[in-house]
Amino acid sequence: MAVTRRRIEGSTESGYDADVLVIGGGPAGTWAAISAAQAGASVVLADKGYCGASGATAAAGTAVWYVEPDPARRAAAMASRYEMGGRLASAAWMRRVLDRTWDGINTLAEWGYPFPDDEGGVSRRNSLQGPEYMRLMRKQVKQAGARILDHSPALELLRDAAGAVAGAAGIDRQRGGRWEVRARAVVIATGGCAFLSRALGCNVLTGDGLLMAAELGAELSGMEFSNAYAIAPEFGSVTKTLFYNWATFTDADGVPIPGAASKGGRSVIARELLRQKVYARLDRADAATAAAMRAAQPNFFLPFDRSGIDPFADRFAVTLRLEGTVRGTGGLRLTGPDCSTSVAGLYAAGDAATREPICGGFTGGGSHNAAWAISSGSFAGTGAADYALQQSGERGATQGAGVAALRGRGAHPVDATALVRGVQAEVMPFEHNYFRTGEVLEASAARLDAQWHALRASGPADAGSVLAAREGAAMLATARWMYRSALARRESRGMHKRYDFLEQDAAQYHHLSSGGLDEVWVRPQACAPDAALAPQDRRLAA
């Protein structure tokens, strides 16, 4: 079936009718679009930037959770982060994702991705270079027959008369005006929320899909696992942290900082940054290791080379950049193996979906997230196509579901700049979001609630600032779900550490679902029956 084009009612601008709309053009979105098209659906993909060049993956390289189908190796891979994630991951989901990632990576090789060979001539398929990967994915989306809308950020989802998802509407940043896609199913693949922290490739990741889905009543899960910070040069945005395993961290006088290079060194660095600058030098890497680093991640070194700094010989100031839910695990709650959400016809993939099924409460870093993008994108695309193709009847009238900054009640428009700064003031400081305590979280949550109610009392944003206002609204909504969930989990589990409750509490062995806009709610959600690793998995992994 083909995508059909039409005029938007009451406008000279064009809209589209399709079976499936995918919002987001990163790896999860492109896998979703390809899978939906292969399942027989007509597909439109709308990207906030240029599909194939925007987002966290396109700007960097990433490892992949790619494990050969050997029982012992798979068991070890599943066990690797199970305890770290507070035992919240699902064994069944991990198996499915490992299977689908294995097939997906091998499909990439068939499509022509240039995987390198090792010394023995064996293809090494456990990492991807973002530019080559996403360039290939864009090509495959087009070959599958999907229509791509570049530079077309979505502002809101559409609902039909029965309240079901019916597409989305947004703005065309290249040609001006707006776009609208009526669809029988929608995949949210908009990524997570990094709060405009200048982390590499993340400034398009402002939680837009989470807000749009919540405005239709979708639920979230794991939003307390959202306080991911990454080491980066003070003067740059690259947040690849692996190479800092070869770093020596010092203060301004060159005195080494005890514990900064240890497993828990990030919290040590955060505490030091509250009172002084921290410097690093990759002086623990020998010449061969340094050469291998440059070959593996050349973009890591670009800001150093441009600044005339040799990171192996020269000290440089570092900071911690907030990656929020991008490197965390929280996102839209999944209700089925097809990545369906709690709203009929609405699916989620990639960092917009909770990654608790494979990571629990501890970040999977790039490798697990890359595998999740391939697998959840494929599951969601196929699920959305199956749902859409089962629907029948004429497409009825639709209306926009967006509220915040779009349909405000007040006379004065939203001040987008002030809105964003207000949210960042609550989520970026280490003393609020990293070193969490109930007292600090309560105070921040109250201020965020006040910002939300002020936003709702404002008038709609004008045309020139509507995108920025919606980004600010999405960041604000995300922050409120994060902190209310963090308050509800009165223990330390996974990456969520409460400094007033430092122990893990067996009575809190559950997920936390959240949602709501004017009033945020949080409630426990039982772990899946298969959450525990089976005895044979533990035995094989040992």
Side-chain angles (χ1 to χ4, degrees):
M1 297 179 67
V3 174
T4 59
R5 191 166 185 168
R6 56 178 169 77
R7 288 190 183 277
I8 300 175
E9 186 176 350
S11 170
T12 59
E13 295 156 358
S14 295
Y16 304 89
D17 287 334
D19 295 318
V20 174
L21 168 64
V22 178
I23 307 178
T30 50
W31 280 104
I34 293 166
S35 298
Q38 289 175 341
S42 57
V43 181
V44 172
L45 183 153
D47 196 342
K48 193 175 188 178
Y50 181 84
C51 174
S54 69
T57 296
T62 181
V64 184
W65 202 40
Y66 172 81
V67 184
E68 63 185 87
D70 171 79
R73 290 181 182 273
R74 288 283 176 91
M78 291 165 60
S80 64
R81 301 215 177 214
Y82 181 68
E83 296 293 337
M84 294 170 67
R87 302 187 175 189
L88 295 176
S90 160
W93 269 100
M94 285 191 279
R95 290 191 184 95
R96 293 180 69 230
V97 167
L98 285 168
D99 285 344
R100 184 65 193 90
T101 301
W102 175 264
D103 293 340
I105 289 291
N106 294 337
T107 296
L108 283 176
E110 294 171 6
W111 286 343
Y113 181 85
F115 288 105
D117 293 339
D118 63 17
E119 295 83 353
V122 177
S123 178
R124 291 169 45 206
R125 300 184 179 182
N126 59 351
S127 66
L128 293 163
Q129 292 300 321
E132 289 83 358
Y133 176 28
M134 293 314 303
R135 187 160 49 243
L136 175 60
M137 291 304 292
R138 179 185 177 91
K139 176 182 176 183
Q140 292 299 320
V141 169
K142 296 179 77 171
Q143 288 188 351
R147 186 181 191 109
I148 298 175
L149 306 181
D150 289 312
H151 301 289
S152 297
L155 294 180
E156 61 178 338
L157 293 177
L158 304 178
R159 60 159 59 97
D160 63 18
V165 67
I171 56 176
D172 184 333
R173 301 189 69 186
Q174 285 188 318
R175 289 169 288 275
R178 63 193 182 99
W179 58 265
E180 178 183 284
V181 176
R182 293 193 306 190
R184 299 185 186 275
V186 174
V187 178
I188 298 290
T190 52
C193 183
F195 298 97
L196 296 175
S197 63
R198 293 184 58 235
L200 182 66
C202 290
N203 270 16
V204 293
L205 307 177
T206 50
D208 309 344
L210 306 186
L211 174 60
M212 289 188 287
E215 288 172 330
L216 271 184
E219 299 177 5
L220 300 102
S221 182
M223 294 303 288
E224 68 273 32
F225 306 122
S226 51
N227 54 335
Y229 289 82
I231 304 171
E234 191 178 66
F235 53 85
S237 61
V238 178
T239 53
K240 293 294 181 181
T241 57
L242 175 64
F243 293 166
Y244 291 100
N245 290 336
W246 286 269
T248 298
F249 296 94
T250 62
D251 63 16
D253 297 323
V255 178
I257 299 172
S262 66
K263 184 177 180 181
R266 214 160 300 186
S267 61
V268 175
I269 293 170
R271 287 202 182 279
E272 286 296 315
L273 286 169
L274 290 174
R275 64 188 190 90
Q276 66 173 341
K277 283 197 171 190
V278 173
Y279 295 82
R281 179 166 50 209
L282 307 181
D283 53 3
R284 295 162 59 196
D286 59 25
T289 302
M293 287 177 174
R294 281 193 171 272
Q297 293 287 351
N299 67 329
F300 177 91
F301 297 95
L302 285 177
F304 296 102
D305 295 341
R306 290 169 179 166
S307 301
I309 296 171
D310 178 355
F312 300 103
D314 303 329
R315 290 198 315 153
F316 54 94
V318 296
T319 188
L320 295 178
R321 297 204 184 282
L322 178 63
E323 292 181 314
T325 72
V326 174
R327 198 64 74 97
T329 64
L332 291 168
R333 186 172 77 84
L334 304 179
T335 59
D338 57 358
C339 291
S340 53
T341 72
S342 51
V343 173
L346 187 64
Y347 297 77
D351 293 351
T354 178
R355 278 129 293 156
E356 292 169 292
I358 62 167
C359 296
F362 191 87
T363 177
S367 60
H368 288 62
N369 284 0
W372 182 246
I374 293 170
S375 55
S376 66
S378 301
F379 300 151
T382 302
D386 290 346
Y387 178 89
L389 295 174
Q390 291 173 14
Q391 307 307 303
S392 61
E394 293 293 321
R395 298 174 190 262
T398 63
Q399 64 179 26
V403 176
L406 290 179
R407 295 176 177 87
R409 301 183 290 260
H412 300 290
V414 178
D415 183 338
T417 301
L419 175 59
V420 169
R421 287 176 179 169
V423 177
Q424 290 177 329
E426 301 300 335
V427 297
M428 286 188 174
F430 309 139
E431 58 268 39
H432 291 202
N433 198 9
Y434 201 106
F435 302 112
R436 291 175 166 178
T437 65
E439 180 181 7
V440 172
L441 288 169
E442 283 281 10
S444 279
R447 288 189 291 269
L448 290 166
D449 287 346
Q451 289 182 51
W452 179 265
H453 295 305
L455 169 64
R456 294 286 284 116
S458 299
D462 57 42
S465 64
V466 66
L467 175 58
R470 279 294 276 179
E471 288 178 335
M475 288 165 50
L476 177 54
T478 301
R480 295 173 73 224
W481 295 317
M482 280 169 42
Y483 279 2
R484 290 297 173 192
S485 297
L487 280 163
R489 190 173 288 284
R490 293 161 63 87
E491 64 162 352
S492 291
R493 186 182 294 269
M495 66 190 301
H496 165 71
K497 190 172 184 179
R498 282 282 296 268
Y499 282 79
D500 47 353
F501 295 98
L502 287 171
E503 300 300 320
Q504 192 173 107
D505 179 7
Q508 297 184 59
Y509 176 62
H510 50 236
H511 300 286
L512 286 177
S513 296
S514 58
L517 295 168
D518 290 343
E519 296 295 332
V520 171
W521 56 264
V522 180
R523 61 171 174 256
Q525 187 85 28
C527 291
D530 68 342
L533 289 182
Q536 64 268 24
D537 293 319
R538 293 181 180 277
R539 186 170 59 252
L540 288 169

